[in-house]
Amino acid sequence: MAHPPLVSPGPALTPAELSRYARQLTLPQIGMEGQRRLKASRVLVLGAGGLGSPILTSLVAAGVGTVGVVDSDTVEPSNLQRQTLFGTADVGRRKAEAAASALSELNPLVDVLPLVVRVTSANVLALVADYDVIVDGTDNFETRYLAHDAAKLLGKPYVWGSVLRFDGQATVFWAEPPASLGTGVTVRDLFAEEPPAVEGETCATAGVLGSICASIGSVMATETIKLLLGFGELLLGRLLVHDGLDATWREIRFGPAARGAAPRERAAAPTFASELSPQTTPTPPESPATDQPKGTPVTQPDASTALPEPTAERMTPAQLKALLDARERGEQSFVLVDVREPWERDIVHIEGSELIPMSQLLSDEAREKMPQDDRVILYCHHDGRSGQARDYMAQNGWSNISDLGGGVDAWVTEVEPDKARY
């Protein structure tokens, strides 16, 4: 469906620009005028990680005149498998600054603005206001909703994507698009309510193939350029879902227009937790309750039985350290249990802990290692899996059970900083 370009043409192209963008200039959808529009465009990219890397690389290489890069994190070795903007020498640097350096080297004819800030309710409107399109490559719902709502308030289109394991998806939100595009859509048409702040499945716990990030990031960059220049059929009200294992792409329609569509156009929602579950009614979707990798679930009660409220304290790394020291002196007795997977434990673990993955917690072997009348302390990567395991075990007979807030990641940060993080 035709839509007007977002940006008016900028100044005439220089000889260097004519040479650099020659292959784009030959495309009738872009041409000289379109390239001048790109030159005048301003795009804000949230996140310089797995999705941000291909998005930023594509937009800067294409000649988008000004690109803002929002990221407050630093580069870690585990990022390098998929965050291809960075090299080994960048470890420890701020991602936004390292990305700006690499992108300026890629194309010195554009302005790349590193914004080393965390998106908050206090700064989000100011961040979004100066840009034509907002592109979301973040990995948490709080930031997504904040930035989306700011874009909605200011009338900006919002390009969104997400990846996990071998799967990915992308779409475009725009609350009030031009009349030619019909009814607008927002994130709440796809996910009725913001999920609660639980860990859920993440790339850190479930893994991700770096090339899937490249596939989805490239789609998001293409949608951004289509928005800026006014050509092509946008992913507005359409969720594009990619299954890398099956090498398939499928489309799920959502939003007001989808409510009257034939059933075949409202395909079942993707099942992995990082995906937003498409909503064709106001019913809130399920939200993830654990950070455990799929395929290793803790044994669950009947689906109609809700888990109880937490029944014991969640301790800090400092409190656990004191207990471990006391146990070493013979003053305390308890079992420390790592509920992660073996591959995670190989990276880093807390000395003196037993490995009992989530799927084995209620096995006979596990019960021998942690009798129900013993004190048991659980930990995982952060605290999503351990929190769920704690509550369920309390429901199944353990009376003195707690878990480590922030998991092994917090332990390494606060107690053993020389150990690896992932």
Side-chain angles (χ1 to χ4, degrees), residues 35 37 69 85 96 125 174 187 189 236 250 253 296 304 328 333 346 353 355:
Q35 194 63 52
R37 292 186 195 277
V69 185
L85 269 175
L125 285 172
W174 201 353
V187 68
D189 289 309
L236 191 67
R250 63 191 177 99
R253 293 187 178 272
T296 57
S304 63
E328 184 71 20
S333 176
D346 288 343
S353 62
L355 175 64

Side-chain angles (χ1 to χ4, degrees), residues 12-23:
L13 302 180
T14 65
E17 290 168 331
L18 290 170
S19 175
R20 178 177 287 264
Y21 307 127
R23 297 299 180 271

Side-chain angles (χ1 to χ4, degrees), residues 7 9 31 81 105-106 203 232 239 304 310 395 403 413:
V7 182
Q81 164 260 352
E105 184 70 23
L106 171 65
C203 292
L239 182 71
S304 63
Q395 191 183 40
D403 75 320
T413 301

